Amino acid sequence: MDVPYVDLAAGYQSLKPELDEAVSRVLSSGAYVLGENVHAFEQEFADWLGIEEVVSVGSGTDAIYLVLKALEIGAGDEVVTVSHTAVNTVLAISKAGATPVLVDIDPETFCLDPNALAEVTSDRTRAIMPVHLYGHPADMDAIMDFAGKRGLPVIEDCAQAHGAGYRGKKVGTIGTAGCFSFYPTKNLGACGDGGAVSSNNPALASKIRSLRNCGQGEERYHNLYKGDVSRLDELQAAILRVKLKALDGFTEKRRNVAGYYRDALADSGLVLPAESEAARHVYHLYVVRSIERDRLCQHLASAGVRALVHYPVPVHMQPAYAGVTSGQQPVTEKIVREILSLPIFPEITEPQLQHVAETLGSFKREG
């Protein structure tokens, strides 16, 4: 049996009538940029998050970049984040002209370790950027406390954590701003690129809304800033409106899959994902650990089970970021040799899950 890592076609089929109708409606309208679907999606996503403002943009990377630009963080400034993340997090900091400063992670959640912040912050530090990695929130109490005492904004990277909760609040509503990606594989994914910024600061949202559209103000052809072109198009907004309505149900399916794995793999010898008491995990990825990761991955592949590694090379060890300022990274450098992402998506079937579990069980027996 083949078990794909993710099945986007199955996701489309599960909402096919609604998605086809939404796309057809946009195509027939003749309005393709910053139209009614973009405005409606922004309001619906803000309501779903429980926040005042959402500004849609062209990608999750642009969401981070435009927040930094709106906060006037750039050359000579430092932004603290993690090395264990998709490189896009750090790319956005570099794109803004700022210097990324990378810290280690918590060994249970794989998110930013607040205890590592003190050793790397300086008078050049302008923001802290926790990443809610794999769908699990970072320790926002400790991060917000640290940042608050120093007057630093906290920019939440929520690209993998749509709907993840921390003490009853959705991520993206706790810090100065939240940055979301709608890349197709995300829990809330478009059929192309897309992103959004969430904030309870109307002035910040207004500036980002201008920056995404060439720096133009409310009056056309009158530019307030040297802006960018980063707009969510109407087709993607219409698709996201359909998917947003289904997101809570899809999240429960992900959590059910995680529950199946947790029970089925209890005696597998693998280190399974943790969920802290303050958090609600949305399982964008289901990441296990094994000291025999590479052999395990080959064993799964031989049985038709597709598993991936997120992420095999930390940013501070990437050639593009050689020399980047980094604190000690013992946890990051250990876990990247052990982590493996198992198949998880809302449409995965019980026979597929059984096959994954049985294949992992046979690996333990052979070992």
Side-chain angles (χ1 to χ4, degrees):
M1 176 185 291
D2 288 333
V3 184
Y5 172 72
V6 67
D7 191 342
L8 297 180
Y12 164 61
Q13 290 297 328
S14 71
L15 295 171
K16 186 178 187 302
E18 299 95 325
L19 289 170
D20 287 353
E21 194 277 331
V23 169
S24 177
R25 188 172 64 249
V26 172
L27 292 175
S28 298
S29 74
Y32 304 138
V33 177
L34 294 182
E36 64 178 36
N37 281 288
V38 166
H39 300 310
F41 171 70
E42 289 176 342
Q43 186 60 59
E44 289 161 7
F45 194 43
D47 292 343
W48 183 79
L49 287 171
I51 201 163
E52 288 187 36
E53 301 278 354
V54 163
V55 184
S56 61
V57 296
S59 70
T61 308
D62 280 356
I64 297 172
Y65 164 68
L66 290 173
V67 170
L68 293 171
K69 189 166 182 174
L71 292 172
E72 299 181 0
I73 296 174
D77 299 327
E78 295 179 347
V79 178
V80 179
T81 190
V82 290
S83 185
H84 183 56
T85 182
V87 74
N88 306 62
T89 306
V90 182
L91 171 62
I93 297 170
S94 300
K95 184 179 177 182
T99 299
V101 176
L102 308 179
V103 297
D104 209 2
I105 55 173
D106 179 274
E108 298 293 323
T109 67
F110 305 136
C111 296
L112 186 152
D113 180 0
N115 296 315
L117 291 172
E119 70 170 302
V120 298
T121 51
S122 70
D123 57 4
R124 295 183 299 278
T125 305
R126 290 289 311 282
I128 297 173
M129 190 182 301
V131 179
H132 303 305
L133 198 71
Y134 303 154
H136 191 289
D139 183 352
M140 292 304 291
D141 281 349
I143 293 168
M144 292 297 291
D145 181 65
F146 182 92
K149 290 175 178 176
R150 292 158 180 79
L152 297 172
V154 173
I155 303 166
E156 301 176 66
D157 183 337
C158 309
Q160 298 184 5
H162 309 73
Y166 186 83
R167 300 203 186 281
K169 293 184 177 181
K170 287 188 172 75
V171 299
T173 69
I174 303 166
T176 306
C179 300
F180 292 85
S181 168
F182 303 128
Y183 188 75
T185 58
K186 303 303 185 187
N187 288 28
L188 179 60
C191 293
D193 274 317
V197 176
S198 59
S199 181
N200 279 315
N201 185 330
L204 178 64
S206 178
K207 188 172 183 180
I208 294 168
R209 195 167 276 115
S210 174
L211 288 171
R212 74 173 176 185
N213 191 29
C214 310
Q216 189 170 265
E218 292 185 7
E219 188 175 355
R220 197 174 185 186
Y221 303 128
H222 287 70
N223 295 75
L224 305 175
Y225 312 103
K226 294 178 181 177
D228 289 84
V229 179
S230 182
R231 299 175 294 230
L232 184 72
D233 67 66
E234 281 287 292
L235 280 170
Q236 301 305 334
I239 288 166
L240 288 166
R241 292 182 70 192
V242 171
K243 290 193 170 187
L244 179 60
K245 293 175 183 176
L247 182 55
D248 288 337
F250 287 156
T251 296
E252 286 308 309
K253 289 181 179 179
R254 287 180 179 273
R255 286 181 59 84
N256 288 340
V257 171
Y260 179 93
Y261 278 144
R262 183 173 57 249
D263 294 340
L265 304 178
D267 298 320
S268 66
L270 300 171
V271 179
L272 305 182
E275 184 174 36
S276 70
E277 185 178 344
R280 183 174 187 268
H281 203 320
V282 293
Y283 294 100
H284 171 61
L285 303 177
Y286 191 88
V287 180
V288 300
R289 289 172 59 185
S290 171
I291 58 174
E292 298 184 275
R293 190 269 308 284
D294 293 342
R295 190 167 72 87
L296 174 58
C297 195
Q298 292 173 357
H299 178 80
L300 289 167
S302 69
V305 177
R306 176 71 167 153
L308 299 176
V309 179
H310 298 87
Y311 300 91
V313 183
V315 176
H316 74 280
M317 298 177 72
Q318 296 281 359
Y321 289 93
V324 68
T325 303
S326 173
Q328 296 297 308
Q329 304 272 350
V331 178
T332 294
E333 292 176 11
K334 174 179 171 56
I335 66 104
V336 296
R337 300 191 297 268
E338 301 177 354
I339 51 176
L340 187 65
S341 303
L342 301 182
I344 186 168
F345 49 95
E347 299 79 20
I348 195 168
T349 65
E350 187 167 342
Q352 288 175 322
L353 287 172
Q354 290 173 346
H355 183 59
V356 175
E358 289 167 1
T359 304
L360 290 167
S362 66
F363 179 80
K364 182 184 179 183
R365 291 192 296 273
E366 290 174 7

